[in-house]
Amino acid sequence: METRVMDGRIATVDPLQRLHSNHPVHRRPSARAMLIGVLIVCATLMADPAAAQERIPVGPASTVTLSRTDYDRLLDLASRRPDDPDVPPVPAALTRADLQVRAADGMARATMTVAGEVFRTGAVKVPLIAGATLTDARLDDRPLPLVADPGSGTRTAGSGMTVAGIIAGPAAFTATLEWAAPLELAPGRASFVLPVPPAGSATATIDLPGEQADIRIAPGLVLGRTSAQGRTLVEVTLDPGTPARVSWSTRDAPAARPRETRMLADVRTLVAIGDADLRLLALIDVTIVRGNPAGIDLQLPAGYQVTGSSGTSLERTEETPGRLRLVVTNAALPRHQFLISLERAAASGSFRLETGFPSVPLAQRETGEIGIVGVGTLAVSPAAEQPGMRRMDVREVAPVLVSAARRPLLAAYRYHRGPSGPPALALDVTRFPDAGVLAAIAERAVVTTLVTGEGRTLTEISLSIRNRAQPFAKVALPEGASVLSVEVAGAPARPVHGADGVRIPLLRAGHRPNGPYTVSFVYLHAGTPFEKKGNRQMSLPRMDLPITLVEWELFIPDRYRADRFDGDLIAADLVERYRIAQHVSGSGVSLAAGYGGGSGAAGGRPVPALVAGQIGGRVVDAMGAALPGVTITAEGSGQAQKVLSDVNGWYVIGGLPSGPVTITAHLQGLKTASRVVSFDQQPSQVDLSMAIGEIEEAIVVSSTPIARTETRDDVRRKQAAANEPSLNVQSLQRRAAGVLPIRIDVPRAGTSHRFIKPLVIDEEAIVSFRYRRR
């Protein structure tokens, strides 16, 4: 709005009305200007009825005319500001503090009742006391949360950290604080410093030993003093917020308390479950924090007998019922370590194991680890809730306990000793009878299936067998299938037909296997012809022989395109990509590396499954062929292990300590190759390559390989190469053309699809897909 003085009157003009008019003032008013004018006139008439009767000259168009008095009144109303709300000057305040103090047994203890009020809404941090050691704090019979508040200043410099309580408001409150401090003793005099809350007023009743005449409190004012029954009661007024020193003279100053011994203990216990006994092997580490103890008392679990004790600082032991005192040679040593063995009888078979553990009762803090091992085949499980016990991974157990186990740990626990002593352990122990080992197992099954346009399938299954005494393998062929040929270790053999299936011979006359060998058979299955498009499901026969890894190559004629594969097998290209990613990232060993067809670093054999604490790998020559019988030596931290590589060049070494480990491969006629790796007890794969010659060379691995980014053309070439038929397909095509006793038109061109399945035990392997004629 624009204000003008016209004929002694105040006129207002809306500037917006002048922006769209050719004349600077006279124009037709807008609806907004007319509404504002009407409101101002109405307000003026209601505020001053006399002015409504006064004749006010009308100004030009688009103006509202007011008297000077009304205009000044409107300006005064507009310039008024609302009053600020009332805010308390402080969030809270302490009104009164009442202290009840008693000095006895070399300690001063006080109960402080603090009353106050919180003025603001919500949780407020209220400073309670400074430079005090509180043992308890309660608010209306509830625990009072406390915080250390370095920002709250105190009246006396150097009085220490201020302790504040978190109290909800607005409301009045009463807090109870418990305080304690040792007495300061001097010849003929005793004293202590009493912290005082910063309240409006502070009074104290101090109970001192003896009938004292010279009592000093500074700062403070003594109001009264009474003595009775060898005690003196003093009533004083204290300076709020200022610590007061209370001192008194005494003929019999309290004698200095003997310096108590403080220690920390760490107990690692190995529980060995035998056939008819239970043994505990406890490694006890004791750290002396204060004092020089001549001996350390050990509390024994009930029912055990001590069978041995040792330690570098152990002089002798003194055994009493339930106790064992370990007398040390040098009491000034800051640390002692003992090894105690205990034994008791246990039930045979499956039973409930309930046991306690050795403990150091005088230790201020005691922690413990428990490892459980057993003789024979058994399983342990918690019998009930284990209060105070926390289950832990056996890989987290201290190495000293693992080295003493000599057997794999079945379970492990960790605990902190409570006020009632170390927690007890209750386990259900289940023993299993010994079972016979497998008579035969197939480490690998290479399956090749040729599919014709008529729907007939020709399948060859080649098994890498380790056999002790199993003569046949039962094979459940699909309905309508027939076996065409069988070979055992390269020589032909005949299958046996029975009412419940076909038996494939695993042994033959004159063959005594002492390692892996090959058993292969070919069968023909007549299926339904292919249509222009549709779905097809194919399966492999069930065998009563466990197979570690099945590799299946499915050859589809070139005039059909297959996709949307499904079933219980895994596409081989997915496993290969995962293996490459694992190798590049260095995250561990891929169990399916080097599947099928001789591709991959494994050369057609899966990498052995490594577990924690093992190093494994493969030894090859310069051309990538496996080298059997190579002496592999692993050295680290003064320990050495030696193994020989198997027929496929694989080796596995365990039991090495963490740290740098040197792996060396030696074979006469080849150059010695070695690699240095940093071993952290995680499964590690270390492959070695040996060249021809007599010169030794060492390769120190200090970095990880860098992954190369593949282009789209690289991916296409890999996919095309992956779908190329392998030598197995070509070999089966040749055998079908001139060796097998059948007539079958096997297609010469097509694509291969590869699948794998680990650990097949008496089950079918099924693949389904969708096809379409090209």
Side-chain angles (χ1 to χ4, degrees):
M1 302 295 292
E2 182 179 344
T3 306
R4 295 183 179 181
V5 180
M6 302 176 59
D7 299 332
R9 303 288 183 178
I10 303 301
T12 58
V13 179
D14 188 357
L16 296 177
Q17 302 297 330
R18 301 175 57 187
L19 296 177
H20 304 287
S21 174
N22 296 328
H23 195 277
V25 177
H26 298 287
R27 57 160 303 194
R28 184 177 181 179
S30 64
R32 179 184 175 202
M34 293 175 66
L35 178 60
I36 294 175
V38 170
L39 293 176
I40 296 176
V41 171
C42 292
T44 304
L45 294 179
M46 294 176 65
D48 191 359
Q53 298 176 1
E54 182 182 356
R55 186 178 183 82
I56 300 175
V58 180
S62 302
T63 64
V64 177
T65 305
L66 300 174
S67 66
R68 186 61 175 264
T69 302
D70 297 335
Y71 180 71
D72 292 341
R73 186 180 302 166
L74 291 176
L75 290 180
D76 182 59
L77 292 174
S79 62
R80 292 183 182 179
R81 299 179 59 184
D83 296 336
D84 295 332
D86 294 335
V87 179
V90 293
L94 303 181
T95 59
R96 179 175 177 80
D98 185 16
L99 287 70
Q100 301 292 328
V101 187
R102 179 179 175 85
D105 299 330
M107 296 288 293
R109 295 178 174 84
T111 300
M112 306 178 183
T113 304
V114 182
E117 185 175 356
V118 177
F119 304 112
R120 295 183 181 176
T121 303
V124 176
K125 187 163 54 176
V126 182
L128 298 177
I129 197 168
T133 303
L134 297 180
T135 60
D136 192 15
R138 304 191 70 81
L139 179 66
D140 298 334
D141 296 331
R142 302 190 313 272
L144 174 62
L146 300 177
V147 294
D149 187 11
S152 298
T154 57
R155 296 182 56 183
T156 303
S159 58
M161 186 73 69
T162 299
V163 177
I166 306 300
I167 305 176
F173 65 89
T174 300
T176 303
L177 308 178
E178 299 289 341
W179 168 86
L183 298 179
E184 299 177 11
L185 304 176
R189 198 159 193 83
S191 64
F192 64 90
V193 177
L194 177 64
V196 182
S201 64
T203 60
T205 301
I206 305 176
D207 186 1
L208 301 175
E211 298 181 359
Q212 308 298 334
D214 183 15
I215 298 176
R216 300 176 186 178
I217 301 174
L221 178 63
V222 177
L223 300 179
R225 178 186 308 168
T226 59
S227 298
Q229 298 180 357
R231 306 286 300 183
T232 300
L233 202 64
V234 184
E235 296 181 359
V236 298
T237 298
L238 303 173
D239 188 2
T242 303
R245 175 169 287 277
V246 181
S247 63
W248 66 95
S249 62
T250 177
R251 295 178 182 176
D252 302 328
R257 301 180 63 185
R259 189 179 184 186
E260 64 177 350
T261 300
R262 293 187 178 181
M263 61 184 71
L264 307 177
D266 188 9
V267 181
R268 298 184 176 94
T269 307
L270 181 67
V271 181
I273 305 173
D275 294 330
D277 59 356
L278 189 65
R279 294 185 177 91
L280 299 185
L281 185 66
L283 180 64
I284 303 171
D285 283 328
V286 180
T287 302
I288 308 300
V289 178
R290 189 171 69 180
N292 298 315
I296 297 172
D297 291 329
L298 189 66
Q299 182 178 352
L300 303 178
Y304 285 89
Q305 291 183 349
V306 179
T307 58
S309 57
S310 61
T312 56
S313 60
L314 181 63
E315 180 179 356
R316 69 179 186 276
T317 60
E318 300 173 358
E319 185 175 359
T320 57
R323 292 270 177 167
L324 181 66
R325 181 169 179 80
L326 306 171
V327 181
V328 298
T329 57
N330 186 359
L333 291 177
R335 183 183 176 188
H336 303 277
Q337 189 176 72
F338 310 98
L339 185 65
I340 308 298
S341 58
L342 308 171
E343 184 176 353
R344 80 173 191 194
S348 58
S350 301
F351 64 100
R352 171 71 60 86
L353 169 63
E354 295 181 354
T355 180
F357 303 98
S359 175
V360 182
L362 296 182
Q364 275 66 38
R365 186 190 68 193
E366 180 179 311
T367 59
E369 284 185 6
I370 302 169
I372 302 172
V373 297
V375 177
T377 306
L378 51 85
V380 296
S381 59
E385 229 176 310
Q386 307 287 335
M389 289 280 185
R390 185 168 66 87
R391 186 77 177 262
M392 59 184 294
D393 194 333
V394 295
R395 292 175 294 182
E396 300 175 2
V397 177
V400 63
L401 205 60
V402 176
S403 61
R406 297 184 181 179
R407 291 185 179 89
L409 293 176
L410 303 176
Y413 293 85
R414 181 182 287 122
Y415 68 88
H416 287 264
R417 190 191 66 189
S420 60
L425 181 65
L427 298 174
D428 285 331
V429 179
T430 305
R431 294 187 183 274
F432 301 96
D434 294 334
V437 298
L438 290 173
I441 185 173
E443 294 183 342
R444 179 185 176 203
V446 179
V447 183
T448 307
T449 300
L450 306 181
V451 182
T452 67
E454 297 80 12
R456 304 174 72 186
T457 58
L458 184 65
T459 302
E460 179 183 18
I461 300 179
S462 178
L463 303 171
S464 178
I465 300 291
R466 286 186 178 271
N467 191 3
R468 293 179 179 271
Q470 184 171 339
F472 295 94
K474 180 182 175 182
V475 179
L477 296 175
E479 186 177 357
S482 57
V483 177
L484 302 180
S485 66
V486 178
E487 287 186 358
V488 177
R494 291 186 177 183
V496 178
H497 297 272
D500 55 348
V502 179
R503 265 57 173 191
I504 300 298
L506 301 181
L507 297 173
R508 59 177 176 82
H511 177 62
R512 294 294 180 265
N514 55 3
Y517 62 97
T518 302
V519 174
S520 64
F521 62 95
V522 180
Y523 69 90
L524 178 66
H525 181 222
T528 58
F530 281 82
E531 300 176 354
K532 291 184 178 181
K533 62 179 180 179
N535 298 318
R536 181 62 62 93
Q537 176 175 305
M538 306 187 69
S539 62
L540 295 180
R542 299 176 57 180
M543 290 182 284
D544 62 350
L545 191 69
I547 304 175
T548 304
L549 184 69
V550 173
E551 304 169 11
W552 190 2
E553 181 178 357
L554 185 61
F555 180 80
I556 306 295
D558 192 43
R559 56 177 176 168
Y560 291 98
R561 183 181 62 188
D563 57 6
R564 295 188 182 182
F565 288 88
D566 197 1
D568 56 0
L569 285 88
I570 306 172
D573 58 342
L574 297 179
V575 179
E576 176 63 12
R577 288 198 296 268
Y578 175 77
R579 184 189 67 81
I580 294 175
Q582 292 290 89
H583 177 72
V584 172
S585 63
S587 59
V589 178
S590 173
L591 299 182
Y595 61 88
S599 63
R605 183 180 183 269
V607 177
L610 302 177
V611 298
Q614 289 185 344
I615 297 177
R618 193 165 185 256
V619 186
V620 297
D621 59 13
M623 302 301 293
L627 293 176
V630 179
T631 303
I632 309 297
T633 305
E635 297 180 351
S637 301
Q639 299 185 19
Q641 299 281 351
K642 287 187 178 182
V643 296
L644 295 177
S645 60
D646 62 10
V647 293
N648 295 291
W650 291 103
Y651 73 94
V652 176
I653 299 177
L656 295 172
S658 300
V661 176
T662 302
I663 309 296
T664 305
H666 177 74
L667 185 64
Q668 185 176 4
L670 298 177
K671 291 190 291 185
T672 300
S674 65
R675 291 179 62 177
V676 179
V677 296
S678 180
F679 187 47
D680 57 353
Q681 299 301 322
Q682 296 299 319
S684 302
Q685 179 178 353
V686 181
D687 297 330
L688 299 170
S689 178
M690 305 181 68
I692 299 175
E694 296 293 340
I695 303 176
E696 296 184 358
E697 64 178 12
I699 303 172
V700 179
V701 179
S702 59
S703 62
T704 57
I706 301 177
R708 172 181 173 271
T709 303
E710 292 185 338
T711 63
R712 185 174 298 178
D713 292 335
D714 293 335
V715 174
R716 291 174 179 172
R717 284 194 296 269
K718 285 188 175 182
Q719 290 177 350
N723 290 331
E724 286 292 330
S726 66
L727 296 177
N728 296 331
V729 172
Q730 300 175 14
S731 175
L732 188 55
Q733 288 174 340
R734 289 193 298 268
R735 294 177 64 187
V739 178
L740 296 178
I742 57 169
R743 180 178 180 83
I744 180 173
D745 295 327
V746 176
R748 297 298 176 182
T751 57
S752 289
H753 302 274
R754 298 176 176 86
F755 309 91
I756 66 171
K757 184 176 182 180
L759 195 59
V760 178
I761 302 176
D762 198 16
E763 58 181 318
E764 291 183 345
I766 300 175
V767 168
S768 61
F769 58 90
R770 186 188 65 177
Y771 68 89
R772 179 188 296 270
R773 182 177 296 176
R774 297 182 185 272

